[in-house]
């Protein structure tokens, strides 16, 4: 009979899913700049941009004003062995006459209570950071401001709506003059709850209050918040969902009892959802139902007493007591007897059932709106299944014996693709206000410390000019016979005396060794009116054990790959001219002889340094006894790049590599190359600039992170410049920065995962992906997660840090290349063409979408008198080796 009578309060799952969809639309309207002014659900930005990450510390005061009691807390967050929180608090009464009086009286009362608390704590002489939990709808434009939109929960103090509550409180404190306070944050109790629970569970990104009032907040993507500038990161949104339905969107499910409650409230027509679900109104809802049922003879044999007719006589705590599983009926009899209705056993059962229907409806409605938030979070993250934590507080949730279980069950039924943990806030929203303040304090302090540390990577124009000047001095030392031996930038003659002239013709083999992959190419060059270059190639891996084994094993592996390629192309019988791109420092005595000076880029094969690599290759071919080749030229990859680009543009006279390693070459006048006889013509010089700084001339701009990377490298103290700028090391530099900043508590809750400790786990390619914003997908990839979770501060830092590091990496070769350009300009070529390449490898740096732009601009700034064009080598240095071989064959034939 009661079910039939209260049919409108029994909501089906279909109705709840519909309500969920309605609330999702309301959320969207509230977030939109166009629709927010008329939206019922205001979706207020809180300017809380991060949950606690575990690195917070300090001494804080928290004020908690939201009901008839006012709480003040002192919260000490320390880091001895682990993060601990100590709290001391006092509760002060807020009398009814103050709640309904003037705003001045209310804030004078708050200031008086705060003064009393500070006196007891003996901290009146300190100016501690204060967090203010103010549990009413406020519009914020910053964290330490809150413009009250409207009073709720029986508060009606005049002159406060439309005013900044922080300013009002500061004014009351200043008027007293006996203490000072730094109010850093004003937060809603819902936000406080989320922050309190977020301290214990970093997955917590929703705060929920179901008590005297009801509300929820959650972490929303900045790109969806039209009311705040910026798209990066997240911000907590205070939904103010108590006003859901104020625009009429819930009229079909509101009952006559809901309407009667609203008419008798302090704020008719407002907070309609709150009036259907919260603790302030639940007892009164039940009372109105009981009165009507008694009037119709369905309860108490039609008896109606003055007590039953008195507003507020049936409280929400009575609903909780009556719904207790064992003693509920006895409690019902006791409560109803006090109301003078002399209930029968059947009356008690009926009243218990009414209470169940009303409280169950509340839990179902809250589950619907919470479900909408969970769906929003899931969609924001682009995941099939959401894992998250909801921090919950409020007397109804905590005190009602069945409420929490019903809410959890309905939520999980409505959003089956979300794995939700409900975490009860044990310490209330006051601690949360302190945590917001602690986070605000951390967020204001950390960027300064981070910027201070990373400032070393931001080179000034003057510093870059110094780098240019030093590079010029090193180049001159490498070119001169007297200083060549001690010079670090070796300026190696390559015996490449000419760039292609267009008459090259024939079939050539090219080998390209310079990283973890090895390429064999067949290059068919045709001259004439329609010049063409046709290429066939195959890529082979070089295992780490071969890279760092014996020289014989390495060259046997190379010859095996060549044999496979010749079989693959069906050309094993032909003795083709071969060019060998060997991308390591070599001292050449002729075009087809190169003495390896030292390995770089992770290679460590024994018995190779000091040997002619062409001889080692020829010996490997002999051991194989399968084929023969005419090795015409051994070239550096940088020279190969220059030759490839020069085939397209005769003005090209510089080659630049910025990839796994870094190097440059250029066409130098023979008269300046004292290491080779002859004054006429030009020859390409391989600078081997990776060793720039090995004599200490760059120590003033090397950071502690550069030094750490160098110390743990295979060739400590060598190739220092290359380690500051190239793809093999940039990711490792960032990893060292991450470790340092985690140790200092700036990132990842101060926890360094075992994976992050692994050298080279942070690959250079991640930097480009992070900058391109495909990093969100990266974070979901098991190969890239380092055993820590990224909060938004971490993400923002990472993005800023990789930009600084990459800017540094782009400016440095810009300064060095500018010097090479000037050298060319001084030789009478004021218009220079640089062939530039980032090899097709996971660590290609030149292909970073900002790297090339920054480098081009730096060259332009530092060499304003040089007109430099950059031409990207599309075909790599293998084609260049074939072209050098073709040029070598042409010159050899001419001599014969």
């Amino acid at each position: 009979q009661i079910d039939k009578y209260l049919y409108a309060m029994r909501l089906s799952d279909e109705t709840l899913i519909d309500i969920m969809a309605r609330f999702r639309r309301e959320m969207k309207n509230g977030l939109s700049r166009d629709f927010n002014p008329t939206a019922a659900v205001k979706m207020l930005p809180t300017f809380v941009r991060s949950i606690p990450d575990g690195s917070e510390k300090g001494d804080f005061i928290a004020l908690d004003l939201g009901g008839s009691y006012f709480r003040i807390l002192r919260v000490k967050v320390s880091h001895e062995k682990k993060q601990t929180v100590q709290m001391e608090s006092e509760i002060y009464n807020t009398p009814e006459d103050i709640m309904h009086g003037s705003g001045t009286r209310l804030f004078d009362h708050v200031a008086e209570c705060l003064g009393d608390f500070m006196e007891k704590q003996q901290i009146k002489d300190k100016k501690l950071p204060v967090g203010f939990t103010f549990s009413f709808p406020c519009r914020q434009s910053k964290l330490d401001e809150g413009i009250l939109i409207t009073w709720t929960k029986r508060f009606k103090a005049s002159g406060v709506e439309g005013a900044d509550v922080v300013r009002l409180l500061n004014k009351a404190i200043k008027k007293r003059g006996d203490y000072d306070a730094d109010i850093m944050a004003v937060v809603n109790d819902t936000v406080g709850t989320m922050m309190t629970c977020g301290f214990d569970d970093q997955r917590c990104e929703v705060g929920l209050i179901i008590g005297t009032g009801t509300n929820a907040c959650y972490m929303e993507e900045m790109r969806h918040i039209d009311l705040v500038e910026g798209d990066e990161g997240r911000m907590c949104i205070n939904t103010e969902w108590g006003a859901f339905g104020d625009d009429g969107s819930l009229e079909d499910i509101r009952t006559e009892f809901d309407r009667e409650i609203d008419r008798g409230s302090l704020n008719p027509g407002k907070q309609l959802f709150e009036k259907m679900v919260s603790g302030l109104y639940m007892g009164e809802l039940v009372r109105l139902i009981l009165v009507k049922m008694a009037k119709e003879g369905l309860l108490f044999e039609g008896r109606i007493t003055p007590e039953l007719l008195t507003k507020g006589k049936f409280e929400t705590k009575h609903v909780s007591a009556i719904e207790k599983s064992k003693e509920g009926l006895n409690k019902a009899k006791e409560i109803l007897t006090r109301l003078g209705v002399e209930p029968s056993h059947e009356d008690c059962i009926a009243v218990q059932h009414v209470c169940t229907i009303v409280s169950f409806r509340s839990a179902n409605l809250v589950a619907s709106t919470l479900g909408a938030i969970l769906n929003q979070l899931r969609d924001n993250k682009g995941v099939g299944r959401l894992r998250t934590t909801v921090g919950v507080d409020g007397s109804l949730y905590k005190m009602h014996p069945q409420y929490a279980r019903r809410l959890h069950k309905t939520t999980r039924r409505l959003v089956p693709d979300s794995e939700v943990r409900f975490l009860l806030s044990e310490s209330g929203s006051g601690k949360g206000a302190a945590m917001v303040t602690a986070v605000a304090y951390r967020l204001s302090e950390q960027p300064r410390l981070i910027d201070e540390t990373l400032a070393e990577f931001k080179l000034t124009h003057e510093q870059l000019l110094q780098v240019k000047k030093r590079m010029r001095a090193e180049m001159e030392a490498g070119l001169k016979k007297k200083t060549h031996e001690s010079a670090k930038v070796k300026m190696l003659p390559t015996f490449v005396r000419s760039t292609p002239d267009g008459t090259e013709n024939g079939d050539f083999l090219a080998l390209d060794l310079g990283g973890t992959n090895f390429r064999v190419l067949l290059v068919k060059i045709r001259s004439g009116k329609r010049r063409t270059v046709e290429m066939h190639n195959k890529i082979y891996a070089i295992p780490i054990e071969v890279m760092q084994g014996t020289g014989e094993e390495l060259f046997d592996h190379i010859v095996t790959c060549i044999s496979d390629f010749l079989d693959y192309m069906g050309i094993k019988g032909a003795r083709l001219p071969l060019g060998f791109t060997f991308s390591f420092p070599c001292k050449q005595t002729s075009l087809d002889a190169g003495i390896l000076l030292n390995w770089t880029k992770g290679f460590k094969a024994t018995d190779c340094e000091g040997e002619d690599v062409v001889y080692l290759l020829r010996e490997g071919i002999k051991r194989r006894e399968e084929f023969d080749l005419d090795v015409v030229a051994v070239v550096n990859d940088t020279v190969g790049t220059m030759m490839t680009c020069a085939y397209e543009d005769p003005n090209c006279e510089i080659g630049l590599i910025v990839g796994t390693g870094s190097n440059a070459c250029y066409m130098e006048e023979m008269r300046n190359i004292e290491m080779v006889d002859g004054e006429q013509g030009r020859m390409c010089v391989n600078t081997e600039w990776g060793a720039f700084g090995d004599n200490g001339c760059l120590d003033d701009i090397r950071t502690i992170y550069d030094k750490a990377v160098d110390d743990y490298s295979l060739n400590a103290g060598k190739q220092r410049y290359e380690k500051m700028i190239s793809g093999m090391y940039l990711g490792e530099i960032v990893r060292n920065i991450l470790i340092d900043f985690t140790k200092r508590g700036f990132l990842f809750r101060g926890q360094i995962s075992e994976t992050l400790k692994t050298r080279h786990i942070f690959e250079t390619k991640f930097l480009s992906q992070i900058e391109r914003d495909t990093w969100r997908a990266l974070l979901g990839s098991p190969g890239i997660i380092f055993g820590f979770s990224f909060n938004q501060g971490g993400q923002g830092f990472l993005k800023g840090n990789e930009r600084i590091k990459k800017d540094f990496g782009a400016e440095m070769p810009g300064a060095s290349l500018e010097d090479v350009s000037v050298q060319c300009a001084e030789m009478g070529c004021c218009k220079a063409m640089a062939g530039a390449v980032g090899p097709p490898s996971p660590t290609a740096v030149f292909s970073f979408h900002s790297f090339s732009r920054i480098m081009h601009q730096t060259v332009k700034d530092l060499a304003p008198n040089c007109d430099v064009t950059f031409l990207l080598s599309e075909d790599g240095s293998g084609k260049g080796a074939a072209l050098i071989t073709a040029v070598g064959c042409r010159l050899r034939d001419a001599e014969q």
Side-chain angles (χ1 to χ4, degrees):
Q1 195 180 9
I2 292 168
D3 282 347
K4 194 174 176 184
Y5 192 79
L6 294 179
Y7 174 78
M9 284 195 166
R10 303 295 294 263
L11 305 173
S12 67
D13 277 5
E14 191 182 351
T15 303
L16 294 176
I17 288 167
D18 182 44
I19 292 165
M20 195 157 70
R22 292 184 212 181
F23 187 66
R24 189 82 184 270
R25 285 194 295 272
E26 292 291 327
M27 288 169 66
K28 192 175 178 183
N29 288 342
L31 289 170
S32 156
R33 183 180 281 108
D34 296 334
F35 294 105
N36 178 272
T38 56
V41 179
K42 285 300 180 189
M43 303 294 285
L44 303 169
T46 64
F47 293 83
V48 172
R49 297 172 187 267
S50 170
I51 57 173
D53 71 355
S55 64
E56 293 77 17
K57 56 185 173 184
D59 199 351
F60 307 96
I61 297 286
L63 314 178
D64 192 353
L65 178 66
S68 50
Y69 293 104
F70 169 52
R71 201 154 68 113
I72 306 180
L73 306 89
R74 183 179 182 186
V75 181
K76 292 180 187 174
V77 187
S78 61
H79 275 275
E80 282 164 15
K81 288 183 180 173
K82 61 175 185 176
Q83 194 175 39
T84 57
V85 178
Q86 286 178 288
M87 293 196 300
E88 296 173 73
S89 69
E90 288 271 339
I91 292 175
Y92 297 87
N93 191 30
T94 309
E96 194 90 6
D97 62 316
I98 286 180
M99 288 163 68
H100 294 171
S102 71
T104 304
R105 273 192 73 199
L106 174 64
F107 285 98
D108 283 349
H109 173 69
V110 172
E112 186 184 336
C113 296
L114 180 55
D116 175 73
F117 180 79
M118 292 180 81
E119 183 83 56
K120 286 175 180 171
Q121 290 286 321
Q122 299 180 335
I123 50 172
K124 266 193 165 178
D125 58 328
K126 294 182 179 179
K127 188 180 181 183
L128 294 181
V130 176
F132 186 12
T133 300
F134 188 72
S135 309
F136 306 93
C138 283
R139 194 174 298 284
Q140 292 184 260
S141 62
K142 50 188 178 178
L143 190 58
D144 61 351
E145 170 197 87
I147 311 294
L148 177 65
I149 296 170
T150 180
W151 282 117
T152 57
K153 293 178 277 194
R154 295 207 306 269
F155 274 71
K156 265 293 179 186
S158 61
V160 183
E161 290 182 351
D164 176 9
V165 295
V166 175
R167 194 180 61 78
L168 293 174
L169 179 55
N170 273 329
K171 189 176 174 185
I173 291 169
K174 199 171 180 183
K175 190 162 65 177
R176 287 178 59 85
D178 57 338
Y179 68 89
D180 201 359
D182 181 14
I183 301 170
M184 289 190 73
V186 58
V187 298
N188 186 277
D189 54 347
T190 325
V191 181
T193 297
M194 183 189 76
M195 295 296 276
T196 300
C197 296
F199 182 78
D200 298 314
D201 182 345
Q202 222 194 349
R203 283 190 188 277
C204 185
E205 51 193 343
V206 182
L208 173 63
I209 298 274
I210 317 161
T212 310
T214 184
N215 194 13
C217 69
Y218 71 101
M219 295 300 292
E220 178 59 271
E221 298 292 319
M222 281 291 291
R223 65 181 185 272
H224 294 154
I225 307 171
D226 284 358
L227 301 173
V228 181
E229 292 298 318
D231 287 336
E232 291 299 321
R234 300 200 298 171
M235 182 181 285
C236 181
I237 289 290
N238 166 20
T239 65
E240 285 299 338
W241 77 13
F244 179 31
D246 287 8
D247 57 356
S249 60
L250 294 178
E251 285 311 297
D252 57 328
I253 64 160
R254 287 177 75 223
T255 66
E256 58 182 296
F257 309 109
D258 296 310
R259 291 185 174 91
E260 194 172 341
I261 283 273
D262 181 43
R263 284 194 296 273
S265 68
L266 284 168
N267 54 350
K270 293 182 178 178
Q271 300 294 106
L272 297 183
F273 181 72
E274 183 169 80
K275 287 167 186 170
M276 295 169 78
V277 302
S278 78
L280 186 59
Y281 305 98
M282 189 176 285
E284 185 62 9
L285 260 176
V286 171
R287 186 189 71 80
L288 292 174
I289 293 167
L290 298 185
V291 168
K292 186 171 184 192
M293 288 179 74
K295 280 180 180 176
E296 294 181 12
L298 297 173
L299 280 177
F300 318 133
E301 296 176 346
R303 284 189 302 277
I304 298 173
T305 64
E307 289 85 357
L308 188 60
L309 289 170
T310 305
K311 184 180 176 181
K313 274 289 184 182
F314 197 98
E315 298 176 51
T316 300
K317 67 180 180 183
H318 296 148
V319 177
S320 298
I322 289 168
E323 285 198 66
K324 285 184 178 170
S325 52
K326 289 181 181 174
E327 58 203 272
L329 290 175
N330 289 335
K331 287 287 181 186
K333 188 174 177 68
E334 190 182 302
I335 291 160
L336 293 169
T337 301
R338 282 207 300 270
L339 293 173
V341 294
E342 298 176 21
S344 65
H345 183 66
E346 288 71 26
D347 286 336
C348 291
I349 292 171
V351 169
Q352 188 180 55
H353 199 49
V354 169
C355 290
T356 300
I357 289 171
V358 171
S359 64
F360 217 130
R361 183 185 72 155
S362 168
N364 283 343
L365 286 171
V366 171
S368 292
T369 46
L370 178 60
I373 288 175
L374 295 172
N375 282 340
Q376 178 84 351
L377 284 172
R378 192 194 67 226
D379 292 350
N380 284 352
K381 293 181 181 185
V383 293
R385 186 167 183 79
L386 175 72
R387 282 187 68 197
T388 193
T389 297
V390 177
V392 199
D393 201 359
S395 53
L396 185 57
Y397 181 87
K398 288 199 276 197
M399 309 304 287
H400 190 288
Q402 315 293 338
Y403 196 96
R405 184 180 56 80
R406 290 171 186 163
L407 173 67
H408 302 172
K409 196 173 177 182
T410 308
T411 302
R412 286 168 184 143
R413 201 169 67 244
L414 294 178
V415 280
D417 44 10
S418 292
E419 193 178 310
V420 187
R421 180 190 181 206
F422 289 87
L423 182 60
L424 184 63
S425 170
E426 301 290 354
S427 314
S429 53
K431 175 184 170 185
M435 293 318 301
V436 171
T437 308
V439 168
Y441 192 71
R442 166 174 65 80
L443 293 179
S444 64
E445 191 66 4
Q446 281 186 8
R448 185 184 63 77
L449 295 170
I450 287 169
D451 287 347
E452 209 173 82
T453 307
L454 295 180
E456 293 179 65
F457 289 105
K458 298 176 182 176
L459 298 181
T460 64
H461 186 75
E462 288 67 32
Q463 284 175 307
L464 291 170
L465 287 172
Q466 275 299 312
V467 171
K468 165 188 156 183
K469 185 178 173 184
R470 294 170 198 175
M471 178 65 184
R472 186 63 180 271
E474 292 294 312
M475 287 169 67
E476 286 174 6
L479 288 169
K480 286 185 167 43
K481 191 177 279 187
K482 192 168 115 181
T483 50
H484 176 83
E485 201 58 44
S486 60
K488 294 299 179 185
V489 178
K490 284 298 180 188
M491 305 295 287
L492 302 170
T494 65
F495 295 84
V496 172
R497 298 171 185 270
S498 169
T499 52
D501 66 359
T503 63
E504 293 75 20
N505 198 69
D507 293 355
F508 305 92
L509 273 183
L511 311 181
D512 191 353
L513 176 70
T516 51
N517 290 328
F518 168 60
R519 272 202 311 163
V520 186
L521 305 93
L522 174 64
V523 184
K524 298 181 176 184
I525 303 172
R526 300 293 178 262
S527 59
K529 286 184 180 177
R530 293 188 61 193
R531 294 190 310 165
T532 60
V533 177
E534 183 187 326
M535 293 199 298
H536 305 270
N537 74 87
K538 205 168 175 186
I539 295 173
Y540 300 89
I542 299 188
I544 191 85
E545 60 270 19
V546 173
M547 287 168 65
Q548 297 179 9
T550 67
E552 196 169 291
E553 287 168 344
L554 174 62
F555 281 92
D556 282 350
H557 179 77
I558 289 168
V559 171
T560 302
C561 297
I562 297 170
S563 174
D564 175 78
F565 182 76
L566 295 175
D567 282 337
Y568 172 70
M569 295 302 299
I571 52 172
K572 214 165 203 173
R575 187 175 186 268
L576 293 176
L578 179 143
F580 186 11
T581 301
F582 188 74
S583 308
F584 304 92
C586 281
K587 183 176 181 179
Q588 288 187 248
T589 52
S590 64
L591 188 60
D592 64 346
I595 312 297
L596 175 64
L597 298 178
N598 57 276
W599 284 117
T600 57
K601 293 179 274 195
F603 277 73
K604 268 289 181 184
T606 58
D607 306 319
C608 294
E609 291 180 353
E611 299 294 329
D612 176 7
V613 293
V614 176
Y615 172 77
L616 294 175
L617 176 63
R618 285 173 176 151
E619 287 299 300
I621 293 169
K622 276 183 194 172
R623 282 194 297 275
R624 186 89 184 180
E625 295 182 345
E626 276 185 23
F627 55 87
D628 194 16
L629 296 171
D630 175 18
V631 185
V632 174
V634 60
V635 298
N636 186 277
D637 54 347
T638 325
V639 183
T641 296
M642 182 188 76
M643 295 296 274
T644 301
C645 294
Y647 189 72
E648 304 300 328
D649 187 328
N651 285 323
C652 184
E653 51 193 351
I654 301 172
L656 167 67
I657 297 273
V658 195
T660 307
S662 181
N663 194 15
C665 69
Y666 70 101
M667 295 301 292
E668 177 61 270
E669 296 295 313
M670 283 293 295
R671 65 177 180 272
N672 294 331
I673 308 172
E674 294 184 6
M675 302 300 293
V676 180
D677 291 338
E679 298 279 317
Q680 295 305 307
R682 298 200 297 169
M683 181 181 286
C684 180
V685 167
N686 167 19
T687 66
E688 285 300 336
W689 77 12
F692 179 29
D694 287 5
N695 59 359
C697 71
L698 294 179
D699 282 0
D700 57 328
I701 60 167
R702 287 174 79 224
T703 67
I704 55 168
Y705 310 108
D706 296 307
K707 287 166 187 165
V709 166
D710 180 35
D711 289 344
Y712 288 98
S713 67
L714 286 168
N715 54 348
K718 294 180 179 177
Q719 299 294 106
R720 288 181 178 178
Y721 180 67
E722 182 170 79
K723 287 168 188 169
M724 293 167 81
I725 63 170
S726 77
M728 187 162 182
Y729 302 99
L730 282 188
E732 186 61 5
I733 291 171
V734 171
R735 187 186 70 87
N736 275 274
I737 295 170
L738 294 182
I739 286 175
D740 178 37
F741 282 12
T742 305
K743 281 179 183 171
R744 290 161 70 182
F746 298 164
L747 295 172
F748 318 131
R749 299 174 73 93
Q751 303 297 310
I752 303 174
S753 72
E754 286 305 312
T755 322
L756 184 58
K757 290 177 188 173
T758 308
R759 287 179 57 228
H760 301 291
I761 193 75
F762 195 99
E763 297 177 43
T764 299
K765 67 178 178 182
F766 298 164
L767 272 64
S768 189
Q769 288 166 317
I770 289 166
E771 190 184 346
R772 287 177 191 273
D773 254 356
T774 54
W775 63 289
R776 294 179 198 282
L778 280 180
L779 298 180
S781 164
I784 298 165
I785 290 288
F786 307 134
F788 47 70
S789 57
F790 280 79
N791 58 26
Q792 290 303 319
Q795 291 160 356
F797 155 73
L798 194 56
K799 193 158 188 178
N801 169 45
E802 64 86 16
R803 276 194 183 131
I804 290 167
K805 187 62 212 149
K806 188 135 54 56
D807 289 0
F808 176 85
E811 287 169 344
M812 289 284 279
S816 306
L817 184 64
E818 181 276 338
D819 203 57
V820 173
S821 302
V822 169
Q823 181 87 342
C824 287
E826 287 179 355
M827 296 183 311
C829 331
C830 237
K831 181 174 176 60
M833 166 74 75
V837 66
S841 73
T843 49
V845 173
F846 198 83
S847 58
F848 284 172
H849 69 294
S850 66
F851 189 97
S852 53
R853 175 181 52 79
I854 295 162
M855 196 190 74
H856 296 175
Q857 188 57 49
T858 306
V859 170
K860 193 175 175 182
D861 292 346
L862 296 178
N865 298 324
C866 293
D867 181 7
V868 183
T869 304
F870 289 87
L871 179 63
L872 187 63
S873 169
E874 301 290 355
D875 299 314
S877 51
K879 176 181 171 183
L883 285 164
I884 290 169
T885 305
V887 170
C889 289
R890 170 167 61 79
L891 296 176
R892 187 172 66 182
D893 292 346
E895 284 172 11
Q896 290 171 354

